[in-house]
Amino acid sequence: MEETFVPFRGIKNDLKGRLLCYKQDWTGGFRAGIRILAPTTYIFFASAIPVISFGEQLERNTDGSLTAVQTLASTALCGIIHSVVGGQPLLILGVAEPTVLMYTFMFNFAKDRKDLGQKLFLAWTGWVCAWTALLLFLLAILGACSIINRFTRVAGELFGLLIAMLFMQQAIRGVVEEFGIPQRENPEHTALQPPWRFGNGMFALVLSFGLLLAALRSRKARSWCYGTGWLRGFIADYGVPLMVLVWTAVSYIPVNHVPKGIPRRLYSPNPWSPGAYSNWTVIKEMVNVPPLYIVGAFIPATMIAVLYYFDHSVASQLAQQEEFNLKKPPSYHYDLLLLGFLVIICGLIGIPPSNGVIPQSPMHTKSLATLKHQLLRNKLVSTARKSISKNSNLSQLYRSMQEAYNEMQTPLTYQLPSTRGLKELKESTIQLASSTGYIDAPVDETIFDVDKEIDELLPVEVKEQRLSNLLQALMVGGCVAAMPLLKKIPTSVLWGYFAFMAIESLPGNQFWERILLLFTAPSRRYKVLEEYHATFVETVPFKTIAIFTLFQTVYLLVCFGITWIPIAGVLFPLLIMLLVPVRQYLLPKFFKGPHLQDLDAAEYEETSPISYNTTFEIFPENSIYAGQDQEHQARTNHIDGAEILDEIMTRSRGEIRRTQSPKISSTTQSSLGDIKPFCSPQVSQKAYNPGRLTGKGLELKQTPSPGPSTLGQSNRCSSSS
């Protein structure tokens, strides 16, 4: 994104870029067919369930002025408008926890004012939304979103982990409250007597943990060794919403043996209940608000505008991380302008506004990356099997697969189809075929393993389209009419889903992985290298990793602590924004430039597992391998160097992986010097040192830090262009 503060230029550039791909945003979604329902359903539950919970929280905090009907209506209305005319369709809009906190604060202020009170509360918030919209217009026009370019991984991952902590906090708090007496309930009710309260709490633990564990397991169904392929795929795609239905059904098993109200279920008035729709005409009451409060509304509006500017922009940034390899341009300025219009619309009809939400937005992108991977894989596997059945040689096989791959791409008029992944596939398979002397022979499974090679070597791509966002927003709107059915869901199932969302957002967060590394016993740190691991593990001393992680942890705890302060809690985004000057001017004084670049890389980089039965000098002093027992280091084998630098990969925080170096099996009969150097996130061409073979095994000398990561850009290196 161009950094510009010229008025209207950012909005103009966003519109120009997105209009070029607007048609493809729709055709791409429809071409996916019924498979588009998998990410749609997944993100619908991730969006609707928190919104329902926030609505129930607002209903308690505002004495019924706002309920889940209003939060669902806002999420649906803003989501539909954004999916149709918004700039970045990967961005998910919804009512978030900070909005709930702000509206609670404003209600507590208004209800004690005789000339305002609960009667004019929503009319006054209408003026607050009007001021907020005006401020958002100014921020969008003046190009304030250009500052988002300066938010590095340090700020983004810290904010993401903070949101995960808030979701987990809500889950824990909800489960604990299952043992207590709900507000505005009659304590003499049978279900609220101490023995039954304890029983309700224990049953809530079963339902919450049952949903959490079942949902986490179902997301990994594709790696199961049980069941057929279509069944595993169905469970992975639709398992989470199915688990909500299953555990809701389980909650009805003891219904005939316990008092009414056990387990506790969602509470919200129906949209057709008396008084439930009175706020839709709040615009008529806005003229009754005293002028002093109209002017005073500018104060909370300033807080909300800063909050929405940050939340909306960072949510959009996390949904468009470079590791996802998005092909279509961003739209920060225009989306912020559109958010201003959405805020004023919501204020005029008396519902809380929606903005870009975390972790739903990056979850949406990841689910669409999985979808694109499945579509590409199915197409290429089918093409490869047809070519093999026709006794095609390796060159003919590659040509047919490249044509099939290009058919699946829909580049814009100013873009060329990406064949980088297939280039790697061609070079790796041809190298293997040449070493065995079968370059011109018909291809078989010994030369080209269809299932394994295609699945591992496909590049990470995202199905960028608008249909899934529109469908999930329409489904959220359908929840308003389906409120009688939603009220059958136990609240404990919601708490389990909150915990699931918190845990689901952790994979790929390097901050979280560094925290786990600090708690890893020194004698067990070598196991980190035997699994896919971030590249900084090998390039940055462990002491530096520990200090950097402790700094982030302290900063995170300060931000989390501020959220507990009733009024100041909504200002925690200001601390996140403060990380921009801290990263630019303060951290370079305490950390070396190369180390800081690796720890704060632009993308999520992972390296393939390295066998522990090897002696290494590639790791810097004080790295996690330094100081290991001599007994362990003596257990070495003589191996080919290609196995160590093999399959340097980046994974899309879950199921998708992308190879950055040629696929070379351990049986490849080629010397280390014959291997053509490849660009990798770890070892640049200039810094590439193939090492030397000694009697003790492969010895790798430490290489200089490669500098900023370029992984995910169109041109990896001159040799691959």
Side-chain angles (χ1 to χ4, degrees), residues 202-225:
M202 296 304 295
F203 194 27
L205 286 174
V206 172
L207 295 177
S208 300
F209 278 94
L211 174 75
L212 173 61
L213 297 177
L216 291 174
R217 290 288 297 171
S218 67
R219 288 295 292 168
K220 300 180 180 179
R222 285 191 178 87
S223 62
W224 293 356
C225 56

Side-chain angles (χ1 to χ4, degrees), residues 259-281:
K260 184 179 179 180
I262 298 179
R264 296 169 191 169
R265 304 185 187 275
L266 292 176
Y267 173 79
S268 177
N270 295 322
W272 51 84
S273 300
Y277 44 82
S278 59
N279 58 320
W280 303 110
T281 59

Side-chain angles (χ1 to χ4, degrees), residues 592-614:
K592 295 181 179 179
H595 294 164
L596 199 57
Q597 290 171 352
D598 288 344
L599 292 170
D600 194 25
E603 296 181 70
Y604 182 76
E605 301 172 358
E606 281 190 342
T607 303
S608 58
I610 297 178
S611 173
Y612 184 57
N613 298 329
T614 310

